[in-house]
Amino acid sequence: MSKVACIGECMVELKQADGGLFSRGYGGDTLNTAVYLARLGVGADYITALGDDSLSEEMVAGWAAEGIGTRRVVRLPGKLPGLYMIQTDAKGERRFFHWRDSAAARSLMDLPETPEILDALAGYDVVYLSAITLSLYGAEGRARLFEALRRARENGARFAFDTNFRARGWPDLDVARAVFREAFATADIVLASTDDLLPLYPDVTNEALLARVPGAEVVLKLSEPASILRLGGVSYPIKARPVEAPVVDTTAAGDSFAAAYVAARLVGADPLEAARAGHRLAGVVVCHPGAIIPRAAMPSGLVSNHVNSRKAPP
């Protein structure tokens, strides 16, 4: 079975319910992707740090129940996970509020366990992380992570980078641009969006945004339900199927797209097919509240249930 390492942060999630109430769950961009990868038949490990509290314990149990590997989750005594709240408007667009400055996940690159975790990345088929992941760590921590990613790629792993950008995590945009440049230069697959890139590179066209990403396999998701795939220097427009149900919450649309894309590539689908699979899953996810949809709502036949290790084309 193919294995994917997803690196990042999971937080306690409060999502809007009726009557001004909120329901509690958990979520985080790379964790959401790990859940959808596991549901698509991919062996996914989640790599993060949590506290030793009951909420952290609940998270780990929930991930294990989804089939996500938790052996590389570091537990830190006295620490807590972060928390975020989702508010959605009448069109399903969301607004986030975060409480996470002292969350355990921010320490992941500075622990006694860090060297072993980073060395282990070479044993995966794909290492997946996002710009939110990179915003958690300081400059030294990011340098350690990028060096480990380069070593993993030398061992045959592929690095998939999602440009998920939150301005709150990047108070200095020049630092953000420099980190993005290094991620683009290191990644084998870049999953980008205009929503993520325009705050960093404003007032440019889709073609100019794509030109800033030097990789051979790049997906640029657009503001409308469509994307542009650049493969080997050639761009291909891809339209998503119309969403059949009302859009109620766009949370995790990009995370689920990434999961379906990576899963499809691992079974040997070409990037065009993988992008269509990504759009299809995202189109289902936005019709449900919260980051993780009910298991029964997962679309069937999205990708093969039997993932063959290292079978996808480079």
Side-chain angles (χ1 to χ4, degrees), residues 100-129:
R100 63 193 296 213
D101 290 345
S102 60
R106 303 181 78 89
S107 304
L108 185 64
M109 292 298 120
D110 302 296
L111 300 173
E113 298 89 345
T114 300
E116 180 182 354
I117 288 171
L118 294 179
D119 287 344
L121 298 182
Y124 290 89
D125 295 289
V126 174
V127 180
Y128 171 84
L129 57 84

mmCIF file of all heavy atoms in Angstrom, residues 100-129:
data_model
loop_
_atom_site.group_PDB
_atom_site.id
_atom_site.type_symbol
_atom_site.label_atom_id
_atom_site.label_comp_id
_atom_site.label_asym_id
_atom_site.label_seq_id
_atom_site.Cartn_x
_atom_site.Cartn_y
_atom_site.Cartn_z
ATOM 1 N N ARG A 100 -4.247 29.852 18.805
ATOM 2 C CA ARG A 100 -3.290 28.769 18.544
ATOM 3 C C ARG A 100 -1.842 29.153 18.783
ATOM 4 O O ARG A 100 -0.933 28.387 18.477
ATOM 5 C CB ARG A 100 -3.435 28.300 17.087
ATOM 6 C CG ARG A 100 -3.090 29.390 16.089
ATOM 7 C CD ARG A 100 -3.508 29.082 14.704
ATOM 8 N NE ARG A 100 -2.849 27.955 14.122
ATOM 9 C CZ ARG A 100 -2.562 27.847 12.824
ATOM 10 N NH1 ARG A 100 -2.862 28.825 12.000
ATOM 11 N NH2 ARG A 100 -1.987 26.776 12.361
ATOM 12 N N ASP A 101 -1.576 30.329 19.335
ATOM 13 C CA ASP A 101 -0.197 30.816 19.421
ATOM 14 C C ASP A 101 0.710 29.911 20.245
ATOM 15 O O ASP A 101 1.924 29.852 20.005
ATOM 16 C CB ASP A 101 -0.167 32.235 19.994
ATOM 17 C CG ASP A 101 -0.730 33.262 19.024
ATOM 18 O OD1 ASP A 101 -0.878 32.923 17.834
ATOM 19 O OD2 ASP A 101 -1.022 34.390 19.461
ATOM 20 N N SER A 102 0.158 29.224 21.250
ATOM 21 C CA SER A 102 0.979 28.340 22.091
ATOM 22 C C SER A 102 0.647 26.871 21.885
ATOM 23 O O SER A 102 0.938 26.039 22.747
ATOM 24 C CB SER A 102 0.804 28.710 23.567
ATOM 25 O OG SER A 102 -0.555 28.570 23.959
ATOM 26 N N ALA A 103 0.041 26.534 20.750
ATOM 27 C CA ALA A 103 -0.360 25.153 20.483
ATOM 28 C C ALA A 103 0.850 24.232 20.384
ATOM 29 O O ALA A 103 1.935 24.633 19.938
ATOM 30 C CB ALA A 103 -1.172 25.082 19.198
ATOM 31 N N ALA A 104 0.657 22.988 20.775
ATOM 32 C CA ALA A 104 1.752 22.008 20.788
ATOM 33 C C ALA A 104 2.386 21.832 19.416
ATOM 34 O O ALA A 104 3.601 21.647 19.301
ATOM 35 C CB ALA A 104 1.224 20.671 21.304
ATOM 36 N N ALA A 105 1.589 21.894 18.348
ATOM 37 C CA ALA A 105 2.101 21.614 17.002
ATOM 38 C C ALA A 105 3.213 22.562 16.585
ATOM 39 O O ALA A 105 4.049 22.218 15.739
ATOM 40 C CB ALA A 105 0.955 21.678 15.990
ATOM 41 N N ARG A 106 3.251 23.745 17.157
ATOM 42 C CA ARG A 106 4.261 24.713 16.766
ATOM 43 C C ARG A 106 5.668 24.294 17.195
ATOM 44 O O ARG A 106 6.661 24.836 16.710
ATOM 45 C CB ARG A 106 3.915 26.081 17.344
ATOM 46 C CG ARG A 106 2.546 26.577 16.937
ATOM 47 C CD ARG A 106 2.257 27.950 17.505
ATOM 48 N NE ARG A 106 2.933 28.981 16.738
ATOM 49 C CZ ARG A 106 2.411 29.597 15.676
ATOM 50 N NH1 ARG A 106 1.212 29.269 15.249
ATOM 51 N NH2 ARG A 106 3.091 30.521 15.050
ATOM 52 N N SER A 107 5.765 23.318 18.097
ATOM 53 C CA SER A 107 7.067 22.871 18.612
ATOM 54 C C SER A 107 7.652 21.700 17.825
ATOM 55 O O SER A 107 8.755 21.245 18.151
ATOM 56 C CB SER A 107 6.911 22.448 20.087
ATOM 57 O OG SER A 107 6.373 23.485 20.871
ATOM 58 N N LEU A 108 6.955 21.218 16.811
ATOM 59 C CA LEU A 108 7.321 19.942 16.198
ATOM 60 C C LEU A 108 8.743 19.901 15.650
ATOM 61 O O LEU A 108 9.397 18.855 15.694
ATOM 62 C CB LEU A 108 6.326 19.594 15.079
ATOM 63 C CG LEU A 108 6.521 18.230 14.419
ATOM 64 C CD1 LEU A 108 6.294 17.103 15.427
ATOM 65 C CD2 LEU A 108 5.604 18.070 13.228
ATOM 66 N N MET A 109 9.246 21.000 15.128
ATOM 67 C CA MET A 109 10.579 21.009 14.527
ATOM 68 C C MET A 109 11.695 21.261 15.544
ATOM 69 O O MET A 109 12.865 21.381 15.166
ATOM 70 C CB MET A 109 10.655 22.065 13.422
ATOM 71 C CG MET A 109 9.822 21.749 12.205
ATOM 72 S SD MET A 109 10.347 20.231 11.373
ATOM 73 C CE MET A 109 8.853 19.242 11.484
ATOM 74 N N ASP A 110 11.354 21.339 16.837
ATOM 75 C CA ASP A 110 12.348 21.686 17.861
ATOM 76 C C ASP A 110 12.321 20.711 19.041
ATOM 77 O O ASP A 110 12.646 21.090 20.165
ATOM 78 C CB ASP A 110 12.087 23.111 18.382
ATOM 79 C CG ASP A 110 12.121 24.143 17.269
ATOM 80 O OD1 ASP A 110 13.189 24.318 16.656
ATOM 81 O OD2 ASP A 110 11.080 24.758 17.009
ATOM 82 N N LEU A 111 11.993 19.470 18.789
ATOM 83 C CA LEU A 111 11.848 18.483 19.854
ATOM 84 C C LEU A 111 12.969 17.448 19.802
ATOM 85 O O LEU A 111 13.604 17.271 18.750
ATOM 86 C CB LEU A 111 10.490 17.772 19.717
ATOM 87 C CG LEU A 111 9.246 18.653 19.786
ATOM 88 C CD1 LEU A 111 8.005 17.827 19.468
ATOM 89 C CD2 LEU A 111 9.125 19.306 21.154
ATOM 90 N N PRO A 112 13.198 16.726 20.883
ATOM 91 C CA PRO A 112 14.161 15.623 20.816
ATOM 92 C C PRO A 112 13.788 14.578 19.766
ATOM 93 O O PRO A 112 14.667 13.921 19.193
ATOM 94 C CB PRO A 112 14.106 15.040 22.233
ATOM 95 C CG PRO A 112 13.644 16.166 23.094
ATOM 96 C CD PRO A 112 12.698 16.959 22.243
ATOM 97 N N GLU A 113 12.483 14.428 19.504
ATOM 98 C CA GLU A 113 12.021 13.441 18.514
ATOM 99 C C GLU A 113 12.147 13.927 17.072
ATOM 100 O O GLU A 113 11.944 13.147 16.123
ATOM 101 C CB GLU A 113 10.550 13.087 18.788
ATOM 102 C CG GLU A 113 10.289 12.456 20.142
ATOM 103 C CD GLU A 113 10.007 13.464 21.237
ATOM 104 O OE1 GLU A 113 10.286 14.678 21.034
ATOM 105 O OE2 GLU A 113 9.513 13.062 22.305
ATOM 106 N N THR A 114 12.448 15.222 16.883
ATOM 107 C CA THR A 114 12.422 15.798 15.539
ATOM 108 C C THR A 114 13.353 15.095 14.550
ATOM 109 O O THR A 114 12.926 14.774 13.423
ATOM 110 C CB THR A 114 12.752 17.300 15.600
ATOM 111 O OG1 THR A 114 11.777 17.962 16.411
ATOM 112 C CG2 THR A 114 12.739 17.913 14.213
ATOM 113 N N PRO A 115 14.628 14.821 14.873
ATOM 114 C CA PRO A 115 15.496 14.175 13.879
ATOM 115 C C PRO A 115 14.960 12.829 13.399
ATOM 116 O O PRO A 115 15.015 12.530 12.189
ATOM 117 C CB PRO A 115 16.830 14.015 14.630
ATOM 118 C CG PRO A 115 16.814 15.106 15.651
ATOM 119 C CD PRO A 115 15.382 15.203 16.087
ATOM 120 N N GLU A 116 14.427 12.020 14.312
ATOM 121 C CA GLU A 116 13.882 10.723 13.911
ATOM 122 C C GLU A 116 12.675 10.890 12.998
ATOM 123 O O GLU A 116 12.530 10.171 11.993
ATOM 124 C CB GLU A 116 13.485 9.920 15.148
ATOM 125 C CG GLU A 116 12.912 8.549 14.825
ATOM 126 C CD GLU A 116 12.482 7.785 16.073
ATOM 127 O OE1 GLU A 116 12.740 8.272 17.192
ATOM 128 O OE2 GLU A 116 11.883 6.706 15.912
ATOM 129 N N ILE A 117 11.809 11.852 13.321
ATOM 130 C CA ILE A 117 10.634 12.102 12.488
ATOM 131 C C ILE A 117 11.058 12.534 11.084
ATOM 132 O O ILE A 117 10.534 12.037 10.076
ATOM 133 C CB ILE A 117 9.742 13.160 13.148
ATOM 134 C CG1 ILE A 117 9.050 12.580 14.382
ATOM 135 C CG2 ILE A 117 8.694 13.689 12.160
ATOM 136 C CD1 ILE A 117 8.314 13.608 15.214
ATOM 137 N N LEU A 118 12.003 13.447 11.002
ATOM 138 C CA LEU A 118 12.429 13.948 9.695
ATOM 139 C C LEU A 118 13.126 12.864 8.881
ATOM 140 O O LEU A 118 12.931 12.769 7.659
ATOM 141 C CB LEU A 118 13.331 15.159 9.874
ATOM 142 C CG LEU A 118 12.654 16.405 10.466
ATOM 143 C CD1 LEU A 118 13.651 17.536 10.615
ATOM 144 C CD2 LEU A 118 11.474 16.846 9.606
ATOM 145 N N ASP A 119 13.927 12.027 9.522
ATOM 146 C CA ASP A 119 14.570 10.930 8.797
ATOM 147 C C ASP A 119 13.539 9.945 8.251
ATOM 148 O O ASP A 119 13.748 9.340 7.193
ATOM 149 C CB ASP A 119 15.544 10.196 9.712
ATOM 150 C CG ASP A 119 16.817 10.989 9.996
ATOM 151 O OD1 ASP A 119 17.075 11.955 9.245
ATOM 152 O OD2 ASP A 119 17.530 10.642 10.960
ATOM 153 N N ALA A 120 12.436 9.789 8.968
ATOM 154 C CA ALA A 120 11.412 8.826 8.546
ATOM 155 C C ALA A 120 10.690 9.243 7.274
ATOM 156 O O ALA A 120 10.071 8.406 6.601
ATOM 157 C CB ALA A 120 10.391 8.632 9.672
ATOM 158 N N LEU A 121 10.758 10.531 6.896
ATOM 159 C CA LEU A 121 10.050 10.992 5.698
ATOM 160 C C LEU A 121 10.524 10.276 4.447
ATOM 161 O O LEU A 121 9.775 10.142 3.474
ATOM 162 C CB LEU A 121 10.216 12.506 5.536
ATOM 163 C CG LEU A 121 9.650 13.380 6.667
ATOM 164 C CD1 LEU A 121 9.861 14.850 6.337
ATOM 165 C CD2 LEU A 121 8.190 13.074 6.919
ATOM 166 N N ALA A 122 11.778 9.809 4.449
ATOM 167 C CA ALA A 122 12.319 9.118 3.277
ATOM 168 C C ALA A 122 11.624 7.789 3.023
ATOM 169 O O ALA A 122 11.763 7.219 1.935
ATOM 170 C CB ALA A 122 13.819 8.894 3.452
ATOM 171 N N GLY A 123 10.871 7.279 3.984
ATOM 172 C CA GLY A 123 10.197 5.998 3.810
ATOM 173 C C GLY A 123 8.798 6.091 3.236
ATOM 174 O O GLY A 123 8.123 5.071 3.103
ATOM 175 N N TYR A 124 8.363 7.293 2.863
ATOM 176 C CA TYR A 124 7.007 7.483 2.329
ATOM 177 C C TYR A 124 7.029 7.653 0.814
ATOM 178 O O TYR A 124 8.042 8.057 0.240
ATOM 179 C CB TYR A 124 6.350 8.701 2.979
ATOM 180 C CG TYR A 124 6.010 8.505 4.437
ATOM 181 C CD1 TYR A 124 6.932 8.802 5.432
ATOM 182 C CD2 TYR A 124 4.767 7.998 4.821
ATOM 183 C CE1 TYR A 124 6.621 8.620 6.771
ATOM 184 C CE2 TYR A 124 4.451 7.812 6.160
ATOM 185 C CZ TYR A 124 5.382 8.121 7.127
ATOM 186 O OH TYR A 124 5.080 7.930 8.452
ATOM 187 N N ASP A 125 5.905 7.360 0.199
ATOM 188 C CA ASP A 125 5.766 7.615 -1.236
ATOM 189 C C ASP A 125 5.561 9.098 -1.523
ATOM 190 O O ASP A 125 6.076 9.629 -2.507
ATOM 191 C CB ASP A 125 4.589 6.815 -1.796
ATOM 192 C CG ASP A 125 4.813 5.323 -1.709
ATOM 193 O OD1 ASP A 125 5.659 4.809 -2.454
ATOM 194 O OD2 ASP A 125 4.156 4.663 -0.881
ATOM 195 N N VAL A 126 4.751 9.750 -0.686
ATOM 196 C CA VAL A 126 4.466 11.174 -0.839
ATOM 197 C C VAL A 126 4.526 11.821 0.539
ATOM 198 O O VAL A 126 4.018 11.266 1.512
ATOM 199 C CB VAL A 126 3.074 11.422 -1.470
ATOM 200 C CG1 VAL A 126 2.740 12.916 -1.475
ATOM 201 C CG2 VAL A 126 3.010 10.873 -2.888
ATOM 202 N N VAL A 127 5.140 12.989 0.606
ATOM 203 C CA VAL A 127 5.087 13.836 1.799
ATOM 204 C C VAL A 127 4.264 15.057 1.421
ATOM 205 O O VAL A 127 4.573 15.766 0.458
ATOM 206 C CB VAL A 127 6.480 14.263 2.274
ATOM 207 C CG1 VAL A 127 6.363 15.145 3.518
ATOM 208 C CG2 VAL A 127 7.355 13.048 2.549
ATOM 209 N N TYR A 128 3.201 15.290 2.182
ATOM 210 C CA TYR A 128 2.260 16.365 1.866
ATOM 211 C C TYR A 128 2.215 17.350 3.019
ATOM 212 O O TYR A 128 2.080 16.963 4.189
ATOM 213 C CB TYR A 128 0.864 15.778 1.634
ATOM 214 C CG TYR A 128 -0.227 16.823 1.520
ATOM 215 C CD1 TYR A 128 -0.483 17.465 0.314
ATOM 216 C CD2 TYR A 128 -0.999 17.176 2.623
ATOM 217 C CE1 TYR A 128 -1.475 18.422 0.202
ATOM 218 C CE2 TYR A 128 -1.992 18.131 2.523
ATOM 219 C CZ TYR A 128 -2.231 18.747 1.316
ATOM 220 O OH TYR A 128 -3.207 19.707 1.219
ATOM 221 N N LEU A 129 2.343 18.628 2.693
ATOM 222 C CA LEU A 129 2.167 19.673 3.693
ATOM 223 C C LEU A 129 1.721 20.941 2.989
ATOM 224 O O LEU A 129 1.692 21.023 1.760
ATOM 225 C CB LEU A 129 3.448 19.893 4.508
ATOM 226 C CG LEU A 129 4.735 20.248 3.759
ATOM 227 C CD1 LEU A 129 4.834 21.737 3.461
ATOM 228 C CD2 LEU A 129 5.945 19.820 4.577
#
